[in-house]
Amino acid sequence: MFETLGLFLGSFFDAVIGPNHVVPGEPFMIAAGYQLYSGGYLAVLAVLFGGLLGDQLSFFIGRHYGFSAQKKLLRWQPKIRRPLARCRLLMNRRTFWVIAFARLLGPIAWVVPFMAGANHIRWRKFSFYALIGLLLGVGQFVIWGYLLAAGVDNVPVLGEIATFVSEHKYTLGLGLLSLVLLYFALKKQWRYAWLKASSFLFIGMLALNYSHFFWFSDDTVITTTNTNNNIIDVNQLNYKVGMRQLFELLGMSKSAVYHYYKSKDELFKAATEAMVNVDADALTGKPVSQGATNEQKIENFIAIFEQMAPRFFKEMQLVTDYIEVIGETKVAGDPSMMLANQKYLALLGHYVSEKNKQALYTLMLGLLNHQIMIGKPLDQEYISYMIKGHLS
């Protein structure tokens, strides 16, 4: 409650004439974006409502005290008479553009509501235009806060845009140069300006195709088998690592990785499945639970335990980072978490006990954490003693 009130007050004083010279509203709006990522919609409403009330208060202060304030200012600084006259003219001729986009122009936003009131802009018109400006101005910082909280690499759309720009940077650059040439040609009134700009673009595209075919083409065929051979040490990573570092560790290009995995979430899910499959492969040839004795079931449980133990601490760090990114409320429905839980439950059910696999999974995680906390391997006799009560 108090955090939401603080965001409201920060946004409010950022919009009120006078206090807005010393109270920056951007940190409060970015903080609202952070809270939005965790499901805190009230934070966004608070900064919007605070900015709305602040704009309205500044407008009515300008309506009632703006004229006298300008007279006093002119007596003190007569030289500003002309700038004030230009401001009034601009406010009356370009009312929408001035009010709606003022929040995108930095310090100009501090005085626009006040000047709108001082110049007797109609309240309804001001309120409508100011609301548009509020959504634009506050929205940009809320979005930045949301992206910072999520991590830019974890936003699939941005990853796709970055990949597109990276793969087509020369074409995009050529298009931009063609537009600049066209603008310059029209400005200088060249003859056949469109034809010259189009010819430049066409010749440039031919040159790019030629250079790509002979200089930049990669004849190496990357298969799924090749990608599986690129092993990353889990100790080098955390889930918050950027995609660029992953590319470097894999020794693969960005386009090659994105060919198989469209986002870091897909890559994380594939890595989770591969790790669980490694544990399952270690049990190949072991007796299954239906025909196994209790001693064999205990041996199977210990085999799974010893397979997971060496990497468990680092994997829990990865899981913690992952949950921090996606949010605790989304864990139950997250594909990667569901995949890991289902695979290990199936593994325990198949090799130890189908009936008690839930309890065995809980015990497995507890024993692995117990081993970390005491700083040494647990005795196999102790593990056997703990699981005997869960075997049917």
Side-chain angles (χ1 to χ4, degrees):
M1 176 181 176
F2 292 105
E3 292 180 357
T4 305
L5 179 62
L7 295 176
F8 166 80
L9 292 175
S11 181
F12 173 74
F13 286 115
D14 173 63
V16 175
I17 187 71
N20 59 10
H21 289 71
V22 294
V23 179
E26 290 82 358
F28 300 96
M29 299 167 194
I30 292 174
Y34 266 87
Q35 293 195 27
L36 177 63
Y37 179 75
S38 301
Y41 298 99
L42 283 177
V44 179
L45 294 176
V47 293
L48 287 172
F49 190 55
L52 179 64
L53 288 183
D55 284 345
Q56 292 294 324
L57 181 58
S58 294
F59 176 80
F60 285 108
I61 290 174
R63 174 68 61 88
H64 290 89
Y65 303 104
F67 182 72
S68 59
Q70 289 184 52
K71 287 180 63 177
K72 292 178 181 179
L73 190 61
L74 286 171
R75 284 198 298 267
W76 178 50
Q77 291 287 338
K79 294 181 179 180
I80 67 169
R81 184 180 300 275
R82 187 179 294 274
L84 281 177
R86 289 177 177 174
C87 176
R88 286 194 296 268
L89 183 63
L90 184 63
M91 185 70 72
N92 289 316
R93 287 186 175 180
R94 300 286 187 269
T95 308
F96 171 76
W97 298 104
V98 173
I99 297 175
F101 292 93
R103 280 183 173 267
L104 303 179
L105 301 176
I108 293 177
W110 298 347
V111 297
V112 164
F114 176 83
M115 293 302 295
N119 286 280
H120 297 282
I121 301 297
R122 286 186 301 164
W123 175 75
R124 289 184 180 180
K125 179 186 289 189
F126 167 79
S127 298
F128 178 67
Y129 295 166
L131 180 60
I132 296 174
L134 183 71
L135 294 174
L136 291 174
V138 174
Q140 63 175 329
F141 291 106
V142 170
I143 291 172
W144 275 115
Y146 184 91
L147 293 177
L148 289 171
V152 175
D153 284 329
N154 297 320
V155 182
V157 174
L158 294 181
E160 292 173 6
I161 292 174
T163 302
F164 178 82
V165 172
S166 176
E167 293 181 349
H168 300 88
K169 54 182 177 290
Y170 298 112
T171 305
L172 294 173
L174 176 63
L176 181 61
L177 285 175
S178 300
L179 289 175
V180 172
L181 176 63
L182 177 62
Y183 173 79
F184 182 80
L186 293 175
K187 197 76 173 176
K188 295 296 182 180
Q189 297 183 346
W190 288 1
R191 294 182 62 187
Y192 310 114
W194 285 94
L195 178 61
K196 291 178 180 178
S198 300
S199 300
F200 177 80
L201 179 63
F202 179 72
I203 294 171
M205 292 296 293
L206 290 177
L208 283 178
N209 286 330
Y210 178 88
S211 62
H212 180 79
F213 183 79
F214 287 101
W215 298 337
F216 299 116
S217 61
D218 187 359
D219 295 329
T220 303
V221 177
I222 300 174
T223 65
T224 307
T225 306
N226 292 346
T227 62
N228 292 335
N229 292 332
N230 292 53
I231 306 300
I232 300 177
D233 183 2
V234 73
N235 293 310
Q236 301 179 54
L237 298 178
N238 57 65
Y239 183 75
K240 297 177 182 177
V241 72
M243 290 298 285
R244 183 177 299 175
Q245 185 180 350
L246 285 173
F247 302 147
E248 292 173 357
L249 292 169
L250 283 167
M252 298 171 64
S253 67
K254 182 185 295 186
S255 58
V257 174
Y258 276 119
H259 175 74
Y260 298 102
Y261 309 106
K262 300 304 181 185
S263 67
K264 189 161 62 175
D265 289 337
E266 288 189 17
L267 184 58
F268 186 78
K269 183 179 178 181
T272 302
E273 186 169 11
M275 196 64 71
V276 177
N277 289 338
V278 168
D279 295 335
D281 291 341
L283 293 172
T284 303
K286 298 279 187 181
V288 298
S289 59
Q290 288 182 348
T293 63
N294 281 353
E295 287 74 18
Q296 290 173 325
K297 293 177 181 179
I298 292 173
E299 289 178 4
N300 290 345
F301 183 93
I302 292 175
I304 300 172
F305 178 88
E306 292 179 343
Q307 186 72 18
M308 295 176 64
R311 63 175 195 272
F312 182 73
F313 176 72
K314 189 62 181 180
E315 284 185 357
M316 285 301 99
Q317 287 183 317
L318 283 167
V319 170
T320 302
D321 287 342
Y322 183 65
I323 292 174
E324 185 179 346
V325 170
I326 67 172
E328 294 181 26
T329 57
K330 299 180 181 179
V331 171
D334 180 75
S336 296
M337 300 300 294
M338 291 172 63
L339 174 68
N341 290 329
Q342 290 168 0
K343 288 278 188 177
Y344 280 113
L345 284 170
L347 201 60
L348 289 166
H350 187 68
Y351 287 101
V352 186
S353 172
E354 179 66 32
K355 179 181 177 181
N356 299 316
K357 61 184 180 182
Q358 289 280 359
L360 289 167
Y361 188 41
T362 303
L363 178 63
M364 175 78 72
L365 295 176
L367 289 171
L368 288 166
N369 278 292
H370 184 189
Q371 184 167 271
I372 291 173
M373 295 299 292
I374 64 175
K376 61 180 182 180
L378 291 173
D379 187 72
Q380 287 193 4
E381 291 184 4
Y382 174 73
I383 299 174
S384 300
Y385 170 77
M386 292 298 295
I387 67 174
K388 280 180 180 178
H390 298 286
L391 298 178
S392 54

